Amino acid sequence: EEAPEDRPEDLKPRPPVIAVMGHVDHGKTSLLDAIRETEVAAGEAGGITQHIGAYQVKHDGKTVTFLDTPGHEAFTAMRARGAKVTDIAAIVVAADDGVMPQTVEAIDHAKAAEVPMVFVINKIDKPDANIEKIKQQLTEFSIVPEEWGGDTVFVEASAKKKIGLDNFLDMLLLVAEVGDLKANPDAPASGVVIEAKVDVGRGVVVTMLIERGTIRVGDAIVAGEASGRVRAMRDFRGEPLAKAGPSTPVEIIGFDSVPEAGEACRVVKDEKAARVLANRRTNRLRAEDLAKQHALTLDDLYARIAEGEVSELNLIIKADVQGSIEALADALGQIGHEEVKVRVIHSGVGGINESDVMLATASSAIIIGFNVRPNAPAAALAEAEGVDIRTYRVIYKVTEDVQAALVGLLKPEVVEEVLGQTEVRQLFKVSRLGTIAGCHVTRGKITRTSSIRVLRDGVVVHDGKLASLKRFNEDTREVLEGFECGILLDGFNDLKVGDTLEAYETKEVARGA
Ligand code: GDP
């Protein structure tokens, strides 16, 4: 029941869909608000007060669609579910702050998605704005402005003073034109769920971005496990709509349950067909759970290469210091393989976070942690999505593993099992003994024989054994979640309150076991 392919003559130009990304506080929300307000000032009907996840503006007679949830996390979360809605990433950099870690994340996420970028240098009203410095910083990421002979579009703006917004919209339309964005407005409608919620009084409210075709009130629809009929439809201003075409965000009432954001949504013949599809989808979800185990891992890399499924090994590197990243990227760059290209799609200093795991899911990447660990939400997400996180403390081990995996010779793996985590709450200096940490077991358990890793903001600052584990001054073999204990580490006294002590055990298993 898939809709037939579009014939070239049926394709009509459609508005571009823009996602705004960048470092926190650089002005993403302000920029989105400024553009929205300017449109109201320009005499468009109604005050736009509601947030439905996307809105549109008219500029020079053309339409631009903005996704209204800024940030690369939202962008990549959608992509991880298979949705590719964004045509252009607008990367906001504050002129007084420059390129920051999340700027780099946003760039890498946009690159991994192969979405063109437009840079907005915001806050140019600030006295300490330094536009040239930002352009200079970005050249390190192979981003070169047009006036320097490159091909990246830059605009200068102030969301606060509403400067440069027209130019920004001009440039977005220009980049969109190069992309030759088209869709068939006459096909059966399909799109992606942008937001979904239950609204008191209105029931299930779903914002859908139409990608193809035209949706009409009365159409039967299905999105994942949710189905229904379009009972009412409104645009982003809250105005009722009878129909809507490609790149239009619409708010739909009529679903029987709440679909997930990023879920594909489409119009089908009738409500019965919608229900059948939604049910079938419920069964398929179970199959997807199995498919998840097919996320790329180093262990099955060789088999996947042999099957011709993989021609690129995407890696994400997180490390304790920039120097390690450079050394690792260098070493990995030396690895040659006839059929497989090793590509570092993102790297950064700091612990492994959810955004890294999301990017790995969306790009079938493997995460390499060098002297860093995943935080709890990242570890949980990786487990659920089947993302392979490898942590190392020596550089040559990383290249050795990657090289071995490429030719199917990865050795038996030393797997570690994390037993639990404890948080350092108090410190007692005891002469001759050292520093005893008063700890609270926050997850799992800690045992006398476990290895201990000291984590400070996700970075491994020490790895070793326990010297003693006590409860109420008595030696004990293990302490469970929720309980307090006293810990003395073997040969490490440099603990701080707030450190996490991760207890783990290692054992050797055959690969693929
Ligand atoms: P976001 O975290 O990227 O969404 O950033 P916000 O839009 O919340 O902005 C962060 C702060 O910067 C707020 O206090 C804004 O008022 C301020 N801000 C945003 N744009 C500008 C600008 O163009 N000029 C100045 N001076 N301040 C701005």
Side-chain angles (χ1 to χ4, degrees):
E1 352 76 13
E2 287 298 316
E5 290 262 318
D6 295 319
R7 294 173 307 175
E9 61 266 35
D10 295 332
L11 296 175
K12 302 272 154 35
R14 64 168 178 86
V17 178
I18 318 297
V20 176
M21 318 196 222
H23 197 73
V24 65
D25 281 347
H26 280 197
K28 301 178 292 291
T29 313
S30 306
L31 190 70
L32 281 163
D33 288 347
I35 291 166
R36 193 189 338 229
E37 281 162 29
T38 310
E39 191 216 23
V40 175
E44 287 268 335
I48 308 163
T49 49
Q50 60 162 11
H51 166 102
I52 69 162
Y55 68 83
Q56 292 191 306
V57 294
K58 275 255 176 350
H59 184 71
D60 278 349
K62 294 190 178 119
T63 305
V64 179
T65 303
F66 284 92
L67 297 175
D68 204 6
T69 309
H72 55 276
E73 293 86 355
F75 170 83
T76 296
M78 297 276 272
R79 215 162 64 79
R81 299 216 181 83
K84 186 183 181 300
V85 294
T86 305
D87 298 307
I88 302 171
I91 313 253
V92 179
V93 191
D96 58 337
D97 204 22
V99 174
M100 297 300 279
Q102 286 161 22
T103 317
V104 179
E105 283 186 19
I107 292 169
D108 288 342
H109 282 231
K111 276 187 182 166
E114 293 175 356
V115 168
M117 292 177 274
V118 166
F119 283 82
V120 184
I121 301 184
N122 187 36
K123 307 198 187 183
I124 55 163
D125 58 290
K126 287 222 170 177
D128 47 350
N130 191 341
I131 296 162
E132 294 304 298
K133 184 173 147 208
I134 292 169
K135 291 182 176 169
Q136 194 62 54
Q137 286 176 329
L138 286 169
T139 58
E140 279 174 41
F141 303 91
S142 308
I143 291 156
V144 183
E146 286 178 314
E147 72 262 31
W148 292 2
D151 56 7
T152 306
V153 175
F154 277 74
V155 298
E156 293 160 21
S158 163
K160 189 176 176 184
K161 299 258 157 80
K162 300 208 168 53
I163 301 167
L165 303 182
D166 268 349
N167 185 37
F168 176 40
L169 292 168
D170 282 341
M171 289 305 145
L172 289 176
L173 286 168
L174 197 76
V175 173
E177 213 171 288
V178 175
D180 195 25
L181 308 171
K182 286 184 173 163
N184 177 5
D186 299 317
S190 59
V192 172
V193 174
I194 302 286
E195 275 188 15
K197 62 178 182 209
V198 179
D199 187 294
V200 186
R202 292 199 297 159
V204 178
V205 182
V206 174
T207 299
M208 172 182 174
L209 180 77
I210 318 289
E211 293 185 302
R212 178 174 184 244
T214 297
I215 194 166
R216 291 178 177 80
V217 171
D219 281 348
I221 38 173
V222 57
E225 295 173 79
S227 67
R229 194 173 61 84
V230 182
R231 280 198 279 116
M233 200 157 67
R234 309 203 298 189
D235 69 6
F236 61 92
R237 297 185 196 86
E239 303 283 325
L241 276 179
K243 58 176 190 168
S247 295
T248 315
V250 291
E251 199 183 61
I252 294 172
I253 293 179
F255 275 98
D256 62 356
S257 63
V258 183
E260 263 189 78
E263 197 82 71
C265 178
R266 66 193 174 100
V267 165
V268 292
K269 198 173 70 209
D270 52 33
E271 270 184 88
K272 186 157 164 257
R275 258 194 313 275
V276 170
L277 276 170
N279 285 337
R280 194 178 298 166
R281 166 75 192 194
T282 313
N283 293 329
R284 206 174 58 213
L285 279 182
R286 274 174 220 125
E288 274 176 13
D289 270 345
L290 292 175
K292 231 179 254 165
Q293 291 162 13
H294 280 272
L296 191 62
T297 65
L298 272 195
D299 286 326
D300 62 22
L301 177 64
Y302 182 68
R304 303 272 293 268
I305 296 169
E307 282 160 23
E309 271 181 59
V310 175
S311 60
E312 240 167 29
L313 172 59
N314 288 338
L315 298 175
I316 294 170
I317 301 176
K318 293 304 283 282
D320 51 348
V321 290
Q322 186 61 31
S324 314
I325 293 173
E326 278 155 22
L328 266 171
D330 263 1
L332 289 165
Q334 312 280 324
I335 295 178
H337 188 276
E338 276 176 14
E339 287 141 65
V340 184
K341 217 177 137 212
V342 179
R343 217 161 54 120
V344 176
I345 60 167
H346 174 62
S347 61
V349 171
I352 297 159
N353 56 36
E354 277 179 289
S355 154
D356 298 323
V357 178
M358 214 95 83
L359 180 61
T361 307
S363 307
S364 297
I366 289 166
I367 301 179
I368 308 268
F370 190 75
N371 283 333
V372 295
R373 302 282 305 163
N375 61 21
L381 187 64
E383 169 95 38
E385 302 281 347
V387 169
D388 192 6
I389 297 181
R390 302 260 163 170
T391 52
Y392 297 87
R393 305 209 65 189
V394 214
I395 287 183
Y396 84 85
K397 280 275 180 208
V398 182
T399 45
E400 201 175 83
D401 270 11
V402 171
Q403 219 143 17
L406 283 168
V407 293
L409 290 175
L410 209 55
K411 286 207 200 59
E413 187 184 14
V414 178
V415 288
E416 59 164 67
E417 191 194 349
V418 174
L419 301 173
Q421 286 195 338
T422 62
E423 192 186 296
V424 177
R425 298 250 163 112
Q426 269 178 302
L427 292 170
F428 310 95
K429 291 222 190 319
V430 180
S431 55
R432 276 177 295 123
L433 271 181
T435 304
I436 293 177
C439 297
H440 181 87
V441 182
T442 51
R443 194 153 59 88
K445 63 175 182 184
I446 182 166
T447 67
R448 175 67 184 85
T449 51
S450 42
S451 296
I452 299 287
R453 199 180 271 133
V454 181
L455 305 178
R456 198 166 292 158
D457 300 323
V459 172
V460 182
V461 295
H462 174 75
D463 203 340
K465 297 299 271 180
L466 279 173
S468 81
L469 178 65
K470 286 185 193 288
R471 249 186 86 62
F472 301 119
N473 291 323
E474 297 286 324
D475 282 315
T476 181
R477 282 185 25 229
E478 66 173 35
V479 182
L480 301 177
E481 180 170 331
F483 291 96
E484 311 291 326
C485 57
I487 291 176
L488 181 66
L489 293 178
D490 188 14
F492 187 76
N493 289 312
D494 194 18
L495 285 167
K496 290 206 167 81
V497 170
D499 282 352
T500 298
L501 306 184
E502 189 170 69
Y504 68 98
E505 278 174 348
T506 52
K507 53 178 186 269
E508 202 164 282
V509 294
R511 287 277 165 190

